[in-house]
Amino acid sequence: MGPFKQNLRCHSVAVLERNELECGGKIILPPSALDHLTKLHINYPMLFCIKNTQRNMQTHSGVLEFIAEEGLCYMPYWMMDRLLIQEGDFVEITSATLQKGQFVKLQPHTTSFIDISNPRAVLEMAFRAYSTLTVGDTIKVEYNSKIYLIDVLEVQPANVNNAITIVEADVQVDFAPPLDYVEPVPSFAAPATQNQIPAENLDNTAAAELQEDPKSLRFTGEYHTLRGGPPKQFRSDLTKSAPVNGQPITVPNSSAAASPGEVVFKTRDLKRSNSLLSSGERKSKRRKRGELNVPEPEPEKPKLVPFSGVGHSLR
């Protein structure tokens, strides 16, 4: 006998009110298909190739149950979308033999899927509802009450059917960038404008400002003493800015003329201070001014003689 081959009218699983089958890759066939399959020498698990002969589109699937009405079959709507068919259209279903998969490359539609903490573990649970993967399919994966669409880009080993079976197979999974993924734009430093001054020219700019205004004063702000008194005003000539371009520093009211580039310091003629005098000279000077008061000697007190007092009897 030849392979299993039937033309059946197709409907989505939503007609059976079994929406949980939408996130899967298995179809529901009539009981007559099971009788025909048992008489054939086919490999298990049962795999099928589903074709839309009018559009020359095909995909692959497994079988879930044999409870459909005769002449009908039910499949997930994503599979009908892949075959470009509508409710009630005819499809050709034939038995197929596929190799066990070793590698598959997937591409999520949104970046929210790769943001899951462990997307590989999610796929491992989701693939239990699938028997085959075909290049070009857009499968559905449900996680946390949210449905993710994932495209199948590549399968290995390569074969004429561009499909593999993942039943009892150790399949390596790789991800392509999601469809809505946008490459981050590298940020470059903004070029310096005309109003901005480079850092190496800051010192030259400060020196130019001092040349334009040599009378600028520094450390001329007000201050307050700890005692709360008014701030002391210093002479303005002592708070002038430092010389610019090596100009000499001159002392105001200096009687001697200083040669250019020479700094001259003047001191007052100090008289001989008291700190240079001996202690005897200082005392004599103080005695003459009456500043040194010599204390008068105290009168001598009589010495005490032991047992020299007056005695009294008990009578």
Side-chain angles (χ1 to χ4, degrees), residues 15-27:
V15 177
L16 297 177
E17 297 182 355
R18 299 182 64 177
N19 295 327
E20 71 277 4
L21 301 181
E22 284 291 344
C23 296
K26 298 180 181 180
I27 61 177

Side-chain angles (χ1 to χ4, degrees), residues 25 46 69 89 94 104 112 151 226 272:
M46 296 181 183
E69 295 86 349
D89 291 346
T94 58
V104 61
S112 58
D151 294 338
L226 296 177
R272 187 180 182 186

